Amino acid sequence: MTVFEDFLKWTCDNEWGHSGHFERRLSNGTQLTVWDSGVLVVEPQSATDKDIIISCAVHGNETAPIEICRDIIQDIIAEQQPVQHRTLFLIANPASINVERRFVEENMNRLFSGAHSKGGITNPERERAAKLEQYVQRFYQEGGDSERRRYHYDLHTAIRDSKREKFAVYPFTHGKPYKQAQLQFLLACGVDTVLLNRAPTTTFSYFSAHQFEADAFTVELGKVRRFGENNRADFAAAEESLRQLVGQPEPDLPAFDPQQHFVFAEAQTINRQHQDFRLNFADDVANFTSFNKGELLAIDGDDKILAKHDDEHIIFPNADVALGQRALLTVVRVPTESLDLV
């Protein structure tokens, strides 16, 4: 199987990396360059001022984003998908795709911004996260001027059901304003709900946002399912918007209307500190289920963790994380009109 015949399969056949360098120039002038397994740079003949990163498979069992990226990539190779802007596609953790699990040894989305080199631990996922950071840096720097518009959409699906099926995490901006155009692009993807991080994290999207001032997001497009079990119609808006992002000068976006957006701010980040940790609700409770002030959310050793607000919503509950990692995020609704928007 050659690299350009089936990029995803070649990537999974070389799950921890490939030292070869592959290039192809398409008849329309688009340059394809493979830096590593799962790392494809696409450059149109005429440069614009945009540098776009689309990543998937940070968690290997989140298959819908992988299918979307696979199909866009193969259509670019077949010259059926136009390309207007420099774009880097990243299939982040091929080994976890092969074992059909969220990760092999360690959650990759807790390993960025240098976390891969802390704690005296080494494993292939940490090594891969370090390489992905280097590829992001190389891609943005080779674009040239730091004033160029930089984007990174890290595509995911969630472990459990959600009362708001599609949502995005807006990384901590360190006081910089939020972008109306980015909220509108997410809305075009079918994502009307945005969570505002209030502190630095070790996620892939925060790395690009903080280190390179990219407009970057963790985008949750639905629920985890096996390959072939995704209803692609549920992801059609996201795929079409990503295709427009890559293939048009600008994607088709309606005028900004704050009433169309549901914005939540981080209330609590609950990290597991003890082996004796449990959440005080069933495993099948959906994301965005709400609790009122004083209700018990979790027990961590001898500590009882309570909701601090009325209508406090749970996100990403997972009692089985490693010690020190986030077991639960809670958020509260904030008016879109209250945001510092540009």
Side-chain angles (χ1 to χ4, degrees), residues 108-120:
M108 184 178 282
N109 217 24
R110 300 292 178 270
L111 296 178
F112 294 99
S113 295
H116 50 74
S117 300
K118 296 178 180 178

PDB file of all heavy atoms in Angstrom, residues 108-120:
ATOM      1  N   MET A 108      -3.238  11.013  25.183  1.00  0.00           N
ATOM      2  CA  MET A 108      -2.386  11.957  24.462  1.00  0.00           C
ATOM      3  C   MET A 108      -2.825  13.395  24.658  1.00  0.00           C
ATOM      4  O   MET A 108      -1.990  14.315  24.639  1.00  0.00           O
ATOM      5  CB  MET A 108      -2.362  11.602  22.968  1.00  0.00           C
ATOM      6  CG  MET A 108      -1.419  12.466  22.161  1.00  0.00           C
ATOM      7  SD  MET A 108      -1.348  12.028  20.418  1.00  0.00           S
ATOM      8  CE  MET A 108      -0.306  10.586  20.487  1.00  0.00           C
ATOM      9  N   ASN A 109      -4.113  13.639  24.871  1.00  0.00           N
ATOM     10  CA  ASN A 109      -4.571  15.024  24.999  1.00  0.00           C
ATOM     11  C   ASN A 109      -4.271  15.621  26.370  1.00  0.00           C
ATOM     12  O   ASN A 109      -4.778  16.687  26.709  1.00  0.00           O
ATOM     13  CB  ASN A 109      -6.068  15.138  24.694  1.00  0.00           C
ATOM     14  CG  ASN A 109      -6.391  16.424  23.956  1.00  0.00           C
ATOM     15  OD1 ASN A 109      -5.535  17.010  23.288  1.00  0.00           O
ATOM     16  ND2 ASN A 109      -7.626  16.885  24.072  1.00  0.00           N
ATOM     17  N   ARG A 110      -3.428  14.946  27.149  1.00  0.00           N
ATOM     18  CA  ARG A 110      -2.878  15.504  28.391  1.00  0.00           C
ATOM     19  C   ARG A 110      -1.354  15.617  28.293  1.00  0.00           C
ATOM     20  O   ARG A 110      -0.683  15.784  29.303  1.00  0.00           O
ATOM     21  CB  ARG A 110      -3.235  14.607  29.588  1.00  0.00           C
ATOM     22  CG  ARG A 110      -4.723  14.430  29.815  1.00  0.00           C
ATOM     23  CD  ARG A 110      -5.397  15.718  30.275  1.00  0.00           C
ATOM     24  NE  ARG A 110      -6.828  15.518  30.430  1.00  0.00           N
ATOM     25  CZ  ARG A 110      -7.726  15.714  29.475  1.00  0.00           C
ATOM     26  NH1 ARG A 110      -7.329  16.117  28.265  1.00  0.00           N
ATOM     27  NH2 ARG A 110      -9.011  15.529  29.692  1.00  0.00           N
ATOM     28  N   LEU A 111      -0.823  15.564  27.067  1.00  0.00           N
ATOM     29  CA  LEU A 111       0.623  15.457  26.896  1.00  0.00           C
ATOM     30  C   LEU A 111       1.258  16.607  26.124  1.00  0.00           C
ATOM     31  O   LEU A 111       2.444  16.560  25.821  1.00  0.00           O
ATOM     32  CB  LEU A 111       0.969  14.129  26.202  1.00  0.00           C
ATOM     33  CG  LEU A 111       0.625  12.854  26.970  1.00  0.00           C
ATOM     34  CD1 LEU A 111       0.970  11.623  26.138  1.00  0.00           C
ATOM     35  CD2 LEU A 111       1.349  12.814  28.312  1.00  0.00           C
ATOM     36  N   PHE A 112       0.474  17.661  25.818  1.00  0.00           N
ATOM     37  CA  PHE A 112       1.027  18.744  25.016  1.00  0.00           C
ATOM     38  C   PHE A 112       1.523  19.892  25.897  1.00  0.00           C
ATOM     39  O   PHE A 112       1.470  19.827  27.116  1.00  0.00           O
ATOM     40  CB  PHE A 112      -0.005  19.210  23.992  1.00  0.00           C
ATOM     41  CG  PHE A 112      -0.305  18.149  22.964  1.00  0.00           C
ATOM     42  CD1 PHE A 112      -1.429  17.342  23.082  1.00  0.00           C
ATOM     43  CD2 PHE A 112       0.564  17.920  21.913  1.00  0.00           C
ATOM     44  CE1 PHE A 112      -1.689  16.346  22.160  1.00  0.00           C
ATOM     45  CE2 PHE A 112       0.316  16.923  20.972  1.00  0.00           C
ATOM     46  CZ  PHE A 112      -0.809  16.136  21.101  1.00  0.00           C
ATOM     47  N   SER A 113       2.071  20.903  25.256  1.00  0.00           N
ATOM     48  CA  SER A 113       2.712  22.026  25.952  1.00  0.00           C
ATOM     49  C   SER A 113       3.809  21.526  26.886  1.00  0.00           C
ATOM     50  O   SER A 113       3.988  22.014  28.004  1.00  0.00           O
ATOM     51  CB  SER A 113       1.673  22.859  26.715  1.00  0.00           C
ATOM     52  OG  SER A 113       0.784  23.481  25.807  1.00  0.00           O
ATOM     53  N   GLY A 114       4.552  20.531  26.402  1.00  0.00           N
ATOM     54  CA  GLY A 114       5.699  20.010  27.136  1.00  0.00           C
ATOM     55  C   GLY A 114       5.389  18.971  28.185  1.00  0.00           C
ATOM     56  O   GLY A 114       6.308  18.423  28.801  1.00  0.00           O
ATOM     57  N   ALA A 115       4.111  18.651  28.411  1.00  0.00           N
ATOM     58  CA  ALA A 115       3.763  17.661  29.442  1.00  0.00           C
ATOM     59  C   ALA A 115       4.336  16.289  29.125  1.00  0.00           C
ATOM     60  O   ALA A 115       4.535  15.471  30.029  1.00  0.00           O
ATOM     61  CB  ALA A 115       2.245  17.582  29.600  1.00  0.00           C
ATOM     62  N   HIS A 116       4.616  16.030  27.850  1.00  0.00           N
ATOM     63  CA  HIS A 116       5.188  14.742  27.439  1.00  0.00           C
ATOM     64  C   HIS A 116       6.567  14.500  28.039  1.00  0.00           C
ATOM     65  O   HIS A 116       7.031  13.351  28.087  1.00  0.00           O
ATOM     66  CB  HIS A 116       5.279  14.676  25.907  1.00  0.00           C
ATOM     67  CG  HIS A 116       5.937  15.870  25.292  1.00  0.00           C
ATOM     68  ND1 HIS A 116       7.292  16.100  25.343  1.00  0.00           N
ATOM     69  CD2 HIS A 116       5.401  16.933  24.628  1.00  0.00           C
ATOM     70  CE1 HIS A 116       7.583  17.229  24.723  1.00  0.00           C
ATOM     71  NE2 HIS A 116       6.448  17.765  24.284  1.00  0.00           N
ATOM     72  N   SER A 117       7.237  15.550  28.488  1.00  0.00           N
ATOM     73  CA  SER A 117       8.604  15.409  28.999  1.00  0.00           C
ATOM     74  C   SER A 117       8.691  15.551  30.517  1.00  0.00           C
ATOM     75  O   SER A 117       9.781  15.659  31.063  1.00  0.00           O
ATOM     76  CB  SER A 117       9.514  16.450  28.337  1.00  0.00           C
ATOM     77  OG  SER A 117       9.537  16.272  26.938  1.00  0.00           O
ATOM     78  N   LYS A 118       7.551  15.550  31.187  1.00  0.00           N
ATOM     79  CA  LYS A 118       7.535  15.729  32.637  1.00  0.00           C
ATOM     80  C   LYS A 118       7.239  14.407  33.344  1.00  0.00           C
ATOM     81  O   LYS A 118       6.613  13.511  32.778  1.00  0.00           O
ATOM     82  CB  LYS A 118       6.502  16.781  33.024  1.00  0.00           C
ATOM     83  CG  LYS A 118       6.829  18.167  32.473  1.00  0.00           C
ATOM     84  CD  LYS A 118       5.761  19.183  32.821  1.00  0.00           C
ATOM     85  CE  LYS A 118       6.114  20.560  32.251  1.00  0.00           C
ATOM     86  NZ  LYS A 118       5.066  21.562  32.539  1.00  0.00           N
ATOM     87  N   GLY A 119       7.680  14.301  34.575  1.00  0.00           N
ATOM     88  CA  GLY A 119       7.356  13.150  35.405  1.00  0.00           C
ATOM     89  C   GLY A 119       8.281  11.968  35.256  1.00  0.00           C
ATOM     90  O   GLY A 119       8.051  10.927  35.888  1.00  0.00           O
ATOM     91  N   GLY A 120       9.299  12.088  34.418  1.00  0.00           N
ATOM     92  CA  GLY A 120      10.252  10.997  34.269  1.00  0.00           C
ATOM     93  C   GLY A 120       9.695   9.758  33.606  1.00  0.00           C
ATOM     94  O   GLY A 120      10.253   8.668  33.754  1.00  0.00           O
TER      95      GLY A 120
END
